[in-house]
Amino acid sequence: MNPEKKQRYYERVEEKVKELPWYVGEYIDKKRRKLSSASLLNYCHDYNIFFDWLLAEGYFKGSRKEVSLDVLEKLTVQQMEDFLSFLEFKLENSPLTINRKLSALKSLFHYLQNIAETSELEPYITRNVVAKIELNDVKEDPETIANRMEGKMLRGDEYEQFRQFVAHEYGLVNKDNKKLSNFHKKNRERDTAIISLILGSGLRLSEITGLDLDDIDWHKNTVRVIRKGNKEQYVYISDQAALDLKEYLTIRKETYGINKSNKALFVATTMGPKGTSRRLTDRSIEKIVEKYAAAFGKPSLSVHKLRHSFATRYHLENNNVPKLRRQLGHSSIQTTMIYTHLTNDEMHKAVNKADN
């Protein structure tokens, strides 16, 4: 994550912390060295939901940030089960999402009971009800996950068809809509470069938005990214992605009115008479992909699904899980193994064709 984006996340964390009890702010502060700014923001969001639920249920009379430690200490197992039911049936959270929010609470309560100390060297709380609540038993084998992902990705000829659609056909389809047509004409090189880069590298969304001009090594066709855990890595990109990036860079400065100080690779269209160019955000790129995906007839496509599409094709063509793991930046080889199941059907078809 680039420093500018990281700073924005930390500023949002600071805003959220001000809305939460003092001990939550203390806990978040202690976690800054170990968790990314994005993870801290997710924690704050999860805690907001929990404390708002406490107030809505009448377990505390006052504001969210005034909820005292003794309120947490007196919560019963049944009340916590009620909270999980609220997440499942009212907020319609999936078992995996519920587990994530429960894990955030477990981490907070563990800190309050076992790490934090008062001036008298006593723990903040002596009773930890969340420790008695078990996570949902969500066990999916790689093949099950692969089957769920299948059909939501690009396969076979669709890789190049989608790229061509973004580069050319979207404008033709919308030629009678002046606004859409003009917007596509202005941004097609940039949007094609974004799609081509994801399909030709498998980079994460945050890695795409964090790219600067200086991060590209044109001689080796690699880009420098900061992966999870703030690890620097040089990731290969396809020849087609490199070509599309070069085409975008020929129009970048003039089209987007960029000054020399702006090193962001992908920038947004300027707004207003005195508008200045700025780095595209995660959400901006998500919306770009969603727009083209819907028009292409595959609305389930997303940045993450394009990453899956790259990984599936890579494994099918190279059958090298360790290299794919490094390319995707996975910390666990088990995560990468999902793609071996995704390509089983295509490999079976290839074997059958060999008999013909």
Side-chain angles (χ1 to χ4, degrees), residues 13-71:
V13 169
E14 291 297 328
E15 292 174 3
K16 293 293 184 183
V17 164
K18 292 176 182 178
E19 303 169 357
L20 291 161
W22 64 268
Y23 48 84
V24 178
E26 181 182 296
Y27 166 75
I28 292 293
D29 191 55
K30 297 289 184 182
K31 283 290 184 179
R32 286 181 187 273
R33 289 186 294 109
K34 293 186 176 181
L35 294 177
S36 68
S37 53
S39 295
L40 291 174
L41 189 59
N42 283 334
Y43 269 40
C44 290
H45 176 69
D46 293 340
Y47 296 147
N48 277 341
I49 292 174
F50 174 67
F51 284 103
D52 283 347
W53 175 82
L54 288 178
L55 300 182
E57 293 296 313
Y59 297 129
F60 181 77
K61 303 295 183 183
S63 68
R64 183 197 300 151
K65 66 181 302 179
E66 293 173 328
V67 176
S68 57
L69 286 164
D70 65 297
V71 173

Side-chain angles (χ1 to χ4, degrees), residues 197 200-201 203 216-218 220-223 235-242 245 327:
L197 182 57
S201 68
L203 290 178
I216 306 174
D217 185 331
W218 297 108
K220 297 180 179 178
N221 268 13
T222 61
V223 292
V235 179
Y236 287 101
I237 65 175
S238 68
D239 291 342
Q240 184 62 62
L245 280 170
Q327 179 76 19

Side-chain angles (χ1 to χ4, degrees), residues 165-166 168-175 180 184 291-292 295:
F165 181 81
V166 175
H168 304 291
E169 294 165 25
Y170 181 87
L172 297 176
V173 170
N174 293 284
K175 62 181 180 181
L180 291 180
H184 176 258
K291 176 183 72 174
Y292 289 116

Side-chain angles (χ1 to χ4, degrees), residues 223-278:
V223 292
R224 172 186 172 274
V225 296
I226 304 300
R227 315 221 89 150
K228 288 184 176 181
N230 290 324
K231 296 177 182 177
E232 180 183 81
Q233 186 178 333
Y234 287 83
V235 179
Y236 287 101
I237 65 175
S238 68
D239 291 342
Q240 184 62 62
L243 288 172
D244 289 334
L245 280 170
K246 288 177 180 177
E247 184 174 356
Y248 158 63
L249 290 177
T250 62
I251 59 91
R252 173 181 172 275
K253 183 176 180 180
E254 183 178 348
T255 299
Y256 298 97
I258 299 173
N259 57 48
K260 293 182 179 180
S261 64
N262 190 341
K263 299 298 183 181
L265 177 59
F266 294 117
V267 293
T269 302
T270 55
M271 303 296 288
K274 295 184 179 180
T276 56
S277 56
R278 55 183 174 78

Side-chain angles (χ1 to χ4, degrees), residues 287-348:
K287 289 171 70 175
I288 288 170
V289 174
E290 288 168 3
K291 176 183 72 174
Y292 289 116
F296 185 66
K298 296 200 76 164
S300 61
L301 276 179
S302 63
V303 176
H304 203 57
K305 294 301 187 298
L306 293 180
R307 174 173 154 87
H308 288 324
S309 299
F310 162 82
T312 303
R313 181 171 62 173
Y314 184 100
H315 179 67
L316 184 63
E317 295 178 355
N318 298 285
N319 193 23
N320 191 318
V321 174
K323 285 186 177 180
L324 177 57
R325 175 189 178 185
R326 186 188 183 281
Q327 179 76 19
L328 296 175
H330 287 158
S331 57
S332 169
I333 194 72
Q334 296 304 317
T335 306
T336 316
M337 290 299 291
I338 292 170
Y339 301 103
T340 66
H341 295 273
L342 272 166
T343 55
N344 279 347
D345 184 53
E346 289 172 338
M347 287 180 177
H348 184 226

